[in-house]
């Protein structure tokens, strides 16, 4: 029937991580992820590699793998990302390089990756107060695309 949501379809959530997070915030992220896994059939979590990030939300999501073996964590790469640190490789189940990112790395690569992640995702977990311009732009795009957004920082709100 038109308009019905297919509850059996797996869903995707993108993580836009920024900075080092306190334990209370990590618990919020874990609770959001568990709710998405249990109630919304989210089975995939996407994140992007970044040398300046602490990957706190990704590490928090990874603590749920034992309880929810059906879930996976995927690193979204572009062709220009060649050198990855062991800690980044250990965080993911699989690395994905979308065709749109299969080009020589340039100043738009991160922005394109964020937009691709938003487009493929049903849900976004992000930080409301971030100095990262591409995260802000991707969050605005997610609002336009009517994605469900969870903010994990002190202005925590859900749209």
């Amino acid at each position: 029937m038109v308009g019905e949501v297919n509850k059996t379809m797996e869903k995707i959530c993108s993580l836009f991580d920024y900075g080092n997070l306190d334990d209370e915030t990590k618990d919020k992220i874990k609770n959001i992820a568990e709710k998405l896994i249990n109630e919304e059939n989210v089975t995939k979590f996407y994140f992007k590699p970044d040398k300046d990030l602490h990957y706190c939300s990704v590490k928090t999501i990874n603590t749920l793998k034992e309880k929810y073996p059906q879930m996976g964590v995927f690193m979204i790469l572009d062709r220009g990302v060649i050198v990855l640190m062991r800690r980044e490789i250990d965080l993911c189940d699989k690395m994905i390089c979308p065709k749109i990112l299969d080009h020589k790395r340039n100043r738009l690569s991160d922005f394109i990756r964020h937009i691709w992640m938003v487009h493929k995702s049903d849900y976004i977990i992000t930080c409301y107060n971030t100095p990262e311009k591409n995260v802000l732009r991707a969050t605005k795009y997610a609002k336009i695309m009517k994605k469900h957004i969870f903010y994990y920082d002190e202005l925590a709100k859900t749209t």
Side-chain angles (χ1 to χ4, degrees):
M1 179 179 258
V2 176
E4 277 189 22
V5 176
N6 184 353
K7 290 285 188 182
T8 61
M9 284 182 54
E10 64 181 10
K11 295 185 181 168
I12 299 168
C13 177
S14 282
L15 305 168
F16 295 129
D17 201 342
Y18 185 80
N20 208 353
L21 306 176
D22 60 34
D23 288 339
E24 183 181 341
T25 304
K26 290 176 189 175
D27 286 342
K28 287 180 191 175
I29 292 170
K30 188 174 182 176
N31 291 337
I32 291 167
E34 280 199 278
K35 180 180 179 182
L36 292 174
I37 292 166
N38 288 322
E39 297 176 15
E40 303 298 332
N41 200 31
V42 170
T43 58
K44 294 180 180 178
F45 290 87
Y46 287 172
F47 76 101
K48 72 175 198 76
D50 193 315
K51 63 180 171 39
D52 297 326
L53 298 183
H54 299 277
Y55 298 106
C56 288
S57 59
V58 178
K59 290 174 185 173
T60 300
I61 298 295
N62 272 326
T63 64
L64 297 171
K65 282 185 179 177
E66 190 172 312
K67 188 174 181 180
Y68 303 102
Q70 76 276 19
M71 67 168 269
V73 177
F74 301 85
M75 185 185 310
I76 309 304
L77 300 171
D78 61 54
R79 191 179 70 151
V81 178
I82 297 170
V83 179
L84 293 173
M85 295 172 65
R86 182 73 189 172
R87 70 181 176 130
E88 294 168 324
I89 294 170
D90 289 344
L91 289 173
C92 66
D93 298 310
K94 185 177 178 182
M95 292 177 239
I96 300 171
C97 181
K99 271 214 178 287
I100 195 166
L101 293 170
D102 190 19
H103 56 77
K104 185 177 178 184
R105 186 161 175 76
N106 62 48
R107 63 184 184 84
L108 293 175
S109 296
D110 284 340
F111 175 69
I112 294 168
R113 179 186 6 242
H114 279 90
I115 297 303
W116 183 90
M117 290 169 67
V118 168
H119 182 71
K120 294 293 183 183
S121 297
D122 300 287
Y123 303 93
I124 308 294
I125 299 176
T126 189
C127 181
Y128 187 80
N129 280 331
T130 177
E132 172 61 48
K133 290 179 183 174
N134 287 328
V135 171
L136 291 172
R137 290 178 186 136
T139 303
K140 286 179 184 177
Y141 180 68
K143 287 179 184 179
I144 292 168
M145 297 300 294
K146 299 189 183 335
K147 303 292 181 168
H148 199 99
I149 304 168
F150 295 91
Y151 297 96
Y152 61 72
D153 61 352
E154 67 276 355
L155 292 175
K157 61 181 184 177
T158 306
T159 61

